[in-house]
Amino acid sequence: MIHLKPDTSIGNSVLLIRKLKLWSATVIFTLILLLIFIMIQSDLNATPLMDMGLTAIIHPFFLSGFALALYIILFILVLWVIYAHLEYRFAQKQYQLEQIINKRTEDFIIEKEKSEALLANILPKNTADEILAKGKATKTKFNFVTVLFSDIQGFTQIAEEMNPEVLIDELDKFFFHFDSVVEKYRIEKIKTIGDAYMCAGGIPEKNRTNPIEVILAALEMQQYMIRLKESSVLHGLKYWDIRIGIHTGTVIAGVVGHKKLSYDIWGDTVNTASRMETTGEAGKVNISGTTYEFVKDFFVCQHRGKMPVKYKGELDMYFVNGIQPDLRDAEGAPNKEFRLKIQMIKLQDVEEAVNKIFDEEAPPDLYFHNALLARNITGQTELLATAEKLPEEGHFCLKLASVFLLTGFISDYEKPAEGASALMEKILPRFGFEEDYIATAKQIIKNSFSGKYESAADRILHDARYDYLGHIDYIRLTDKLLRERNEHGLLTTPGTWIEIQKKFLADHEFLTSTGRLLRSVSVEEQIGSLRTFYT
């Protein structure tokens, strides 16, 4: 954490100037005083002069006009020295006060940062920021949240038999590990009550992958408890088993309390997740039929049938037995294919975030490079990549590049490729995207703006970007581009623009077979329409 220290250099400079001023006045005063003393001393040593038989005494120096002038100057210097001394003393006092204020300000900043960090640990960042800004936080409805409950099997009996301090230490060890797991998967810890641990995915930032991530977290918790159990059995110690229940649905999230703030969630989804835990089995991850529908392509699930649930009737339940064989490595962890599939889903969340940036941050004079064109390019990229049978990994990187292709025009119209790359670096790590995929997508964008079409992905993005050249809305869009360029200082007359576009249309070629097939208006027809429109 960076502490912003107050600047003390100005106070030091002022104090130094005052000190130099005082020294200068003192030195000048001393020199003049010394000069007067020397002159007077020379008068006292003077001898009578004989001139034409008369004895003449030279007038004393201290009575001369020059001496009177020196006295006046000396008097002024005395006043100047006194003033400079008082000014220096004042500056010294001011500097000391500034030092005290700066120290207290720095202490205040450090304490403020500590308080904000503590609040951020207790509450989600968005909620903490809202409380700091407004003094309260509004409750929010989330339509797609996955809630996890875990509970230790037979905890009541264990608590009666164990030393309380040992019991708390053991619980702390479990929950400390659970906290690290939920943080890894960007899941929000809600609370612990006794031996129960509750967390939720999909809040406070909405996402489509929260059922998958919550189950991954549950499996890691389960594996941790299995390792502890094996170690305890090996040493002849008692072991603890946990039940885990998961359900997906709608919740209301918000802060309760006025003094001891607490972030909590409410709703039928929370109750159902709790029922999944209580009707589960020790060492098992029990999920509802609703959650199963979202994760069945990723995990091996065992159907338990319809199980009776208090106040709910009968609900479908499944035990999660692990990751699908083709999506896991030799150790049972998610492999590259698993990570790619989940990032393909996350890409939809990224698209929403980018659309929001266009809606909220794009300047109004982006008539051409706007949200509508960005969405059209992304959709056309998807179509062409599918038709050209691009491999899944290349398809993903290409689509990621298409989402960010035009975002650079928002921040840097002259260097859109650099602007797009900067936004990718800012946004994508928050969604858990891997660096290799980000680097590949950035290179595709760079190639698009520099006219390099080295790979199939480059050629597909080229055709998606210039798809409008082969359609009837070309005239409308090219006129928007002309207006946009003129408002950004790239002034072009209609006549010049016609010539630029004629050459561009004549030189342009679609680089994929699908792109060529999708052209609906010929180059000649577009040039004819261009002349008609601007004359």
Side-chain angles (χ1 to χ4, degrees):
M1 186 176 293
I2 299 173
H3 301 301
L4 300 174
K5 294 184 178 181
D7 186 9
T8 59
S9 59
I10 295 175
N12 284 329
S13 300
V14 171
L15 188 63
L16 181 60
I17 290 168
R18 297 289 187 272
K19 187 179 289 187
L20 289 173
K21 193 174 178 181
L22 176 62
W23 286 349
S24 300
T26 305
V27 168
I28 294 170
F29 173 78
T30 305
L31 289 174
I32 292 177
L33 194 63
L34 184 61
L35 177 62
I36 293 172
F37 176 77
I38 292 171
M39 292 296 186
I40 293 174
Q41 193 67 31
S42 64
D43 275 349
L44 295 176
N45 295 331
T47 56
L49 297 176
M50 299 297 297
D51 184 22
M52 299 176 64
L54 299 174
T55 301
I57 305 289
I58 297 175
H59 290 289
F61 170 76
F62 55 84
L63 295 178
S64 68
F66 180 67
L68 291 174
L70 284 179
Y71 298 152
I72 294 170
I73 293 172
L74 186 65
F75 178 73
I76 294 172
L77 279 174
V78 169
L79 296 178
W80 185 25
V81 169
I82 293 171
Y83 174 75
H85 178 71
L86 292 174
E87 193 177 34
Y88 171 69
R89 290 292 300 274
F90 175 76
Q92 197 174 34
K93 289 288 184 182
Q94 190 177 30
Y95 176 73
Q96 291 171 353
L97 287 172
E98 284 178 1
Q99 290 291 93
I100 295 170
I101 292 169
N102 289 337
K103 180 66 171 63
R104 291 180 180 176
T105 302
E106 185 180 350
D107 292 343
F108 172 76
I109 292 170
I110 293 171
E111 290 303 317
K112 183 174 180 287
E113 289 178 348
K114 285 180 180 178
S115 300
E116 289 177 357
L118 181 62
L119 190 62
N121 284 332
I122 297 171
L123 304 173
K125 185 179 184 306
N126 293 346
T127 305
D129 291 343
E130 188 178 1
I131 288 175
L132 289 171
K134 301 178 181 178
K136 62 179 182 178
T138 55
K139 293 176 176 58
T140 309
K141 182 179 181 180
F142 294 88
N143 292 320
F144 189 57
V145 175
T146 302
V147 181
L148 178 150
F149 270 96
S150 75
D151 183 75
I152 295 171
Q153 178 82 18
F155 180 77
T156 304
Q157 184 178 353
I158 293 170
E160 291 174 354
E161 296 173 355
M162 285 188 71
N163 180 291
E165 292 183 1
V166 176
L167 178 70
I168 297 300
D169 288 342
E170 287 294 307
L171 277 176
D172 183 59
K173 182 170 68 174
F174 298 153
F175 292 160
F176 181 83
H177 182 78
F178 290 178
D179 285 348
S180 66
V181 171
V182 300
E183 183 178 3
K184 172 183 174 182
Y185 291 103
R186 291 175 298 281
I187 299 167
E188 188 68 28
K189 176 185 175 182
I190 304 300
K191 59 186 172 183
T192 58
I193 304 174
D195 63 316
Y197 187 94
M198 178 184 175
C199 61
I203 56 171
E205 292 191 5
K206 301 175 183 179
N207 63 71
R208 291 173 170 81
T209 55
N210 63 80
I212 302 164
E213 289 159 342
V214 170
I215 289 180
L216 285 173
L219 292 174
E220 280 201 30
M221 293 175 182
Q222 184 190 56
Q223 287 301 312
Y224 174 73
M225 297 303 292
I226 288 172
R227 291 195 299 270
L228 287 181
K229 178 180 178 180
E230 291 172 350
S231 176
S232 297
V233 170
L234 186 64
H235 293 89
L237 302 173
K238 290 185 178 181
Y239 57 85
W240 295 9
D241 271 326
I242 64 166
R243 297 188 303 258
I244 297 177
I246 296 172
H247 178 60
T248 303
T250 301
V251 303
I252 303 294
V255 176
V256 292
H258 295 285
K259 293 185 178 180
K260 294 184 178 181
L261 301 177
S262 173
Y263 188 75
D264 208 345
I265 56 177
W266 306 271
D268 186 63
T269 299
V270 179
N271 298 332
T272 304
S274 178
R275 298 287 183 265
M276 291 297 112
E277 179 269 312
T278 54
T279 54
E281 294 179 8
K284 298 282 188 179
V285 177
N286 188 38
I287 66 173
S288 67
T290 303
T291 302
Y292 168 76
E293 292 299 324
F294 295 114
V295 303
K296 60 186 177 183
D297 294 334
F298 291 86
F299 301 98
V300 177
C301 300
Q302 174 190 342
H303 189 214
R304 301 178 65 195
K306 289 188 176 291
M307 306 291 290
V309 176
K310 188 177 181 182
Y311 304 127
K312 296 287 180 184
E314 292 187 340
L315 297 177
D316 279 311
M317 296 186 194
Y318 296 80
F319 283 141
V320 180
N321 295 327
I323 298 170
Q324 292 282 4
D326 59 326
L327 298 177
R328 66 189 183 210
D329 59 21
E331 298 177 355
N335 62 13
K336 188 174 183 179
E337 287 75 18
F338 185 104
R339 296 194 300 273
L340 182 59
K341 283 188 72 170
I342 197 171
Q343 288 187 101
M344 285 290 284
I345 300 172
K346 288 180 179 180
L347 190 51
Q348 298 175 61
D349 295 324
V350 173
E351 282 187 68
E352 285 188 2
V354 170
N355 287 336
K356 187 176 180 182
I357 289 171
F358 267 109
D359 293 339
E360 296 179 356
E361 299 180 22
D365 56 5
L366 283 183
Y367 307 115
F368 179 77
H369 297 103
N370 54 24
L372 180 60
L373 182 63
R375 285 192 285 268
N376 288 343
I377 290 174
T378 301
Q380 193 68 11
T381 299
E382 180 78 18
L383 175 64
L384 293 173
T386 303
E388 295 291 317
K389 297 180 180 178
L390 199 66
E392 190 175 23
E393 187 171 347
H395 188 158
F396 169 72
C397 293
L398 172 60
K399 188 171 181 183
L400 184 60
S402 72
V403 169
F404 284 90
L405 181 66
L406 302 185
T407 57
F409 288 99
I410 296 173
S411 58
D412 192 342
Y413 196 84
E414 298 297 324
K415 297 179 180 178
E418 289 82 348
S421 294
L423 187 62
M424 291 174 78
E425 291 172 1
K426 178 182 177 182
I427 288 179
L428 293 178
R430 193 177 80 216
F431 288 90
F433 279 77
E434 296 181 16
E435 286 296 328
D436 290 346
Y437 294 140
I438 297 174
T440 302
K442 285 165 66 176
Q443 186 60 48
I444 293 171
I445 292 174
K446 184 178 178 181
N447 289 348
S448 179
F449 282 105
S450 58
K452 295 180 181 178
Y453 309 113
E454 302 167 346
S455 66
D458 293 330
R459 292 188 286 274
I460 289 170
L461 186 59
H462 167 273
D463 285 3
R465 182 180 175 187
Y466 297 110
D467 175 67
Y468 73 98
L469 296 178
H471 294 284
I472 197 168
D473 59 350
Y474 159 72
I475 297 298
R476 178 178 58 85
L477 290 173
T478 196
D479 186 55
K480 285 186 174 183
L481 179 56
L482 175 60
R483 288 174 59 204
E484 180 181 297
R485 286 167 54 87
N486 285 336
E487 293 209 14
H488 282 86
L490 305 174
L491 302 177
T492 309
T493 63
T496 305
W497 185 245
I498 290 173
E499 295 304 315
I500 291 172
Q501 287 299 301
K502 279 170 61 179
K503 186 177 187 313
F504 184 52
L505 286 165
D507 293 344
H508 176 267
E509 290 183 7
F510 288 106
L511 304 179
T512 64
S513 57
T514 308
R516 288 188 287 271
L517 285 172
L518 291 174
R519 176 189 279 277
S520 60
V521 182
S522 68
V523 173
E524 292 75 17
E525 289 174 309
Q526 297 289 37
I527 292 174
S529 300
L530 192 65
R531 288 197 187 103
T532 303
F533 184 80
Y534 285 106
T535 56

